[in-house]
Amino acid sequence: MTTDTAVLEGDYDYIIVGAGTAGCVLANRLSANPKIRVLLLEAGRRDNYHWVHIPVGYLYCMGNPRTDWMMKTAAEPGLNGRSLPYPRGKVLGGCSSINGMIYMRGQAADYDGWRQMGNQGWGWDDILPYFIKSEDHYKGATPLHGAGGEWKVTKQRLKWGILESFQKAASEFGIHPTDDFNGGTNEGSGFFEVNQRKGARWNTTKAFLRPAKNRPNLRVITEAHTDRIVLQDGRAEGVEFRKSGQRMRASARREILLAAGAINSPKLLERSGIGRPDVLSELGLQVVHESQGVGENLQDHLQIRTVFKISNAKTLNQKANSLLGKAAMALQYGLRQSGPLSMAPSQFGMFTKSDPSLETPDLEYHVQPLSTDKLGDPLHPYPAITVSVCNLRPESVGSCHIVSRDGDAQPEIKLNYLSAERDKLVAVKSVQQAREIMGAKALKPHTPQEVLPGPQVASHEDLLKAVGNIATTIFHPVGTCKMGQDPQAVVNDRLQVHGIRNLRVVDASIMPKIVSGNTASPVVMIAEKAADMILSG
């Protein structure tokens, strides 16, 4: 690679780093004004890969260097020393191109909590219009849902009888059906709505970027690896990136917008000299601006995958382990874009409480008509279901920091799962609760038999150890450039980086607290609100 740095031709008002879930939204909204010139840089390739678009293709996109950054966590003491694969989208659309496609907003109390922390304009009543603005809900417009927006929300195109039996079992336990997880309170059970169109994944590339791609004032460069933000006298002036073996520099007249995600946005800040002095000085990097919170406050949802062997019902295990079953699934998808190949990783969900004294649910279930020893392994040769449950409001907090000056080196990702005592208690309670539901009358005809963690695991100590062996991430990292005014805050409530002019962060990293649900659509909302704030001056 040459050491010379070439100047990218053209003048730009805004440079967006990352064409992922947030970046595609920003590119669309900002370039809608023909007088605003926008440059969008993406390290990954185009999303013209068939497994991006076939919903079950998430299995072939995660752990695939074509579409995944191939990151790993540090060894986690709370997971008995295990290091987990940590998929992050490296493709146009980012994680919206490889995720579970579940449309979920979280709870009104999440956003009201952000506002109570001093972040004005981020309460539920403030942000609901931005969810509605993007939405194209299959039921049409209502006071809580939008129609005609770019972000399509549909029903899944398949049914499983065993999941309907599970819903009846949940009702026996007091978790009753709901027809909408997204009205501000998500308590209850139901089938997840998904970001799909006619049985195909609907990522933010299709939703927001493609409609804008022919605008003369928008330029998109893929396979562009941004190395650092160019800073001068406390102001962000441009970025340096690598493309086809050449170093390039691009300048922005107005702002640089980091939308690289909760792992790569703090990495870029640190590589640019913004962060904790101890982290930067250890690598010989100059501290341009001290910001103690960069890379801190990392939060994620840890899911515990309990597995139950069943009888008298069909699951994906039988179909996937049969040549005839595989052929039937392919034919069903080819003819009707329905069936197992159109399914999200989880079809049925529940939100409930680990303790009845809580005001709002703190547990989310993802129930799947399939099972395996661990993600990526072959499906079991017998019919079974997976009852995954995660703590929506973990108290365990981690960090993400660079450990090398090499721009291609991944940062050290420490989640510190189950380091908080309350998280340990909730983990054990959630396994016990899953067992109780599986013992309900509605499931008796299916004679469920526990496989993971196994009925022999009974005591609190043994359950906690078993959780450490089987729990995995549900891929929801947030918080590493948190919003606020406290000493650990990286951005203010307009998402501007404290102490640096003309630089904002717009992605999941700005969440001060993780939302009580899946994170993709909240990131779309964050980008919608950010674009509105940017355009309003």
Side-chain angles (χ1 to χ4, degrees), residues 13 29 44 63 465 495 536:
D13 295 294
R29 298 305 189 219
K465 184 176 180 180
L495 309 189
S536 64

Side-chain angles (χ1 to χ4, degrees), residues 248-267:
M248 305 289 293
R249 177 180 291 198
S251 298
R253 287 187 292 240
R254 298 188 186 180
E255 292 188 62
I256 309 297
L257 309 173
L258 290 191
I263 305 301
N264 280 326
S265 282
K267 173 185 173 179

Side-chain angles (χ1 to χ4, degrees), residues 86 88 110 114 117 262-263 293 295-302 391-400 413-417 423 473-483 488 508-517 519:
Y86 213 60
R88 299 283 85 203
D110 299 333
W114 292 6
M117 293 175 197
I263 305 301
E296 298 293 317
N297 193 49
L298 176 59
Q299 300 160 57
D300 189 13
H301 290 139
L302 181 71
N391 178 359
L392 290 171
R393 288 189 285 281
E395 294 182 0
S396 302
V397 175
S399 63
C400 172
I413 304 168
K414 292 182 177 180
L415 278 302
N416 295 331
Y417 291 124
D423 292 355
T473 173
I474 207 165
F475 321 122
H476 295 165
V478 308
T480 49
C481 299
K482 66 172 281 192
M483 172 173 57
Q488 290 290 308
S509 68
I510 66 94
M511 294 186 188
K513 289 285 188 182
I514 195 166
V515 293
S516 300
T519 52

Side-chain angles (χ1 to χ4, degrees), residues 114-135:
W114 292 6
R115 182 174 58 194
Q116 288 161 12
M117 293 175 197
N119 298 300
Q120 297 303 308
W122 289 92
W124 173 252
D125 291 340
D126 302 309
I127 57 90
L128 180 59
Y130 292 105
F131 277 117
I132 293 173
K133 177 181 179 180
S134 296
E135 194 177 17

